[in-house]
Amino acid sequence: LLPDPKNFRRLLLAWYKKNQRDLPWRKNTDPYRVLVSELMLQQTQVKTVLPYYSKFLTRFPNARALAAASQESVLASWAGLGYYRRARFLHAAAKAVAKQGFPQSAEGLLDLPGVGAYTAAAVGSISFGLPLAVVDGNVIRVLSRVLALDKDPTTGQGKRELDSAAQALLDPSHPGDFNQALMELGALICAQTKPRCEACPLAAHCLAFRGKTQESYPRLPTPVSTLKIHKSIALITKGANVLAMPRTLSGRAGDEGRMLGYWHFPELELKKGERPEAMAIHLAGENAKLKIRLASFLHSITRYRIKVDAYLFTSEKALKGWRWIGLRELHSKPLASAERRLLKALVAFGSKD
Ligand code: SF4
């Protein structure tokens, strides 16, 4: 049961005009700016993205500037945002755009590295006025409720029904604003829990609201459970240098397989019953002397909950394949958040020592 599209669009767009947030990627519809924002916003909250977006745009103001940058500097600007594969895709997409210009069709956009149906629809509708409906998590939630969709909206028949409803409701004369309005409504009003239906412009069209069943939609499968990992890390120092190197092979914990190029320290994933200190000593090798347990913390990457125990050693001899690097120099390299935290602890310890 589809609401009347004309009325739906009118109410939604009028609400958006009054209530949209002032976000930096909405300043203009330049496709490069939109692409950067869409990739940064995947699986990441707006408030987390904001400072990264401004810094990234200052450093790489257009596709040409990004294409000309080294991979290391791109990764360094992304460090801390997570899902690092996005940075590499964005870099590759910028190289393609710098060569051939920005594609202005859905097919052309889909050919860019890292651009799937969602990102192509977002950039295509916002920057080029293409009539492509965006279906992200917010849109899934709003439309599942409006339609009281009784199927899983992310797969099979449920997905097809939701995609075709989104496409039928899309305003072909303002596709970019319509898509952003629906996403904004999901972000600001139609929240996962306690949606603010009294402030919602679509309440008159919403079957879930009518049936007071808002929170039972969307009918998503139970989320994948989290995985726990315990890691032991050895920070082996010689004067003001520490042993580190960029990741080359896929790790197993979290999305480290996608973190190629990010610098890290010798580390081991512990098996059941293994003691972190004993494993760190094993990692550091017989030439190293254990000083202290430097840090112990929990951090999360995607569905992994990782406990980190890090130990500080001194040694005169490098481990095979690892290189001595000055702490200051390491600071300028691409570092994921756990490694950045360890480097900070190392610097703080050094200044006390
Ligand atoms: S009426 Fe409530 S449940 Fe329905 S779309 Fe609006 S906020 Fe969401």
Side-chain angles (χ1 to χ4, degrees):
L1 250 177
L2 207 62
D4 168 48
K6 276 197 182 143
N7 196 22
F8 188 95
R9 291 167 194 157
R10 189 178 53 75
L11 293 168
L12 181 65
L13 288 173
W15 173 86
Y16 182 61
K17 217 171 167 189
K18 267 201 210 143
N19 296 283
Q20 62 175 288
R21 287 168 292 178
D22 180 19
L23 298 171
W25 44 89
R26 289 189 179 147
K27 272 201 193 108
N28 61 49
T29 57
D30 170 44
Y32 171 72
R33 293 173 62 93
V34 177
L35 179 64
V36 173
S37 71
E38 289 302 336
L39 285 176
M40 284 192 171
L41 286 164
Q42 282 173 18
Q43 331 260 353
T44 313
Q45 292 185 341
V46 166
K47 69 171 190 300
T48 310
V49 167
L50 283 171
Y52 283 91
Y53 183 77
S54 309
K55 266 195 234 153
F56 198 89
L57 263 285
T58 308
R59 183 134 191 222
F60 313 112
N62 49 48
R64 207 169 283 275
L66 183 57
S70 69
Q71 170 159 297
E72 198 165 77
S73 64
V74 177
L75 293 178
S77 298
W78 201 276
L81 252 186
Y83 295 95
Y84 296 98
R85 210 154 56 133
R86 296 177 297 176
R88 268 189 293 275
F89 277 142
L90 181 57
H91 195 201
K95 286 183 181 170
V97 167
K99 234 191 239 162
Q100 75 205 17
F102 229 107
Q104 303 200 8
S105 66
E107 300 73 33
L109 288 165
L110 281 166
D111 275 347
L112 289 176
V115 172
Y118 163 80
T119 310
V123 177
S125 64
I126 296 170
S127 300
F128 303 119
L130 299 176
L132 303 168
V134 166
V135 181
D136 76 338
N138 282 321
V139 173
I140 287 176
R141 192 167 58 255
V142 174
L143 290 187
S144 295
R145 288 171 176 175
V146 168
L147 305 170
L149 183 69
D150 270 320
K151 297 172 192 118
D152 176 354
T154 60
T155 53
Q157 185 61 19
K159 178 168 165 31
R160 281 191 289 279
E161 279 182 32
L162 198 94
D163 285 352
S164 84
Q167 200 56 47
L169 290 169
L170 179 76
D171 185 339
S173 8
H174 305 97
D177 281 350
F178 179 93
N179 282 330
Q180 292 187 86
L182 210 49
M183 292 189 273
E184 193 78 335
L185 188 77
L188 299 181
I189 302 283
C190 192
Q192 188 111 12
T193 53
K194 301 205 177 102
R196 292 167 47 217
C197 303
E198 68 292 346
C200 178
L202 304 180
H205 288 295
C206 181
L207 295 179
F209 174 62
R210 209 176 290 167
K212 297 195 173 54
T213 51
Q214 298 91 318
E215 291 192 32
S216 55
Y217 298 98
R219 305 269 205 239
L220 293 171
T222 34
V224 211
S225 55
T226 54
L227 285 177
K228 287 186 181 163
I229 286 171
H230 191 173
K231 266 188 195 178
S232 183
I233 298 184
L235 288 111
I236 306 165
T237 58
K238 184 168 87 168
N241 295 304
V242 63
L243 279 187
M245 68 171 170
R247 288 187 194 276
T248 49
L249 290 170
S250 300
R252 281 187 45 218
D255 64 358
E256 286 169 2
R258 299 164 189 180
M259 290 168 66
L260 301 181
Y262 280 82
W263 284 67
H264 71 137
F265 307 106
E267 64 178 33
L268 259 180
E269 204 179 300
L270 300 179
K271 297 197 189 85
K272 218 175 171 189
E274 284 178 345
R275 285 176 42 243
E277 184 176 314
M279 294 318 286
I281 292 171
H282 169 72
L283 258 176
E286 56 193 18
N287 295 306
K289 270 197 213 106
L290 175 62
K291 289 196 84 174
I292 51 156
R293 182 168 84 158
L294 184 73
S296 177
F297 56 85
L298 281 171
H299 82 121
S300 300
I301 305 177
T302 60
R303 64 196 183 96
Y304 296 86
R305 301 288 164 268
I306 305 171
K307 173 148 199 257
V308 171
D309 280 306
Y311 297 84
L312 178 62
F313 295 84
T314 53
S315 178
E316 288 304 310
K317 228 176 145 195
L319 294 173
K320 202 167 165 231
W322 296 83
R323 85 171 234 219
W324 295 117
I325 180 166
L327 302 188
R328 196 182 286 255
E329 190 188 346
L330 186 55
H331 193 72
S332 68
K333 299 287 185 195
L335 288 171
S337 44
E339 282 72 19
R340 191 158 292 282
R341 201 162 160 179
L342 291 173
L343 179 59
K344 244 187 175 174
L346 197 53
V347 171
F349 180 81
S351 60
K352 271 190 283 170
D353 202 24

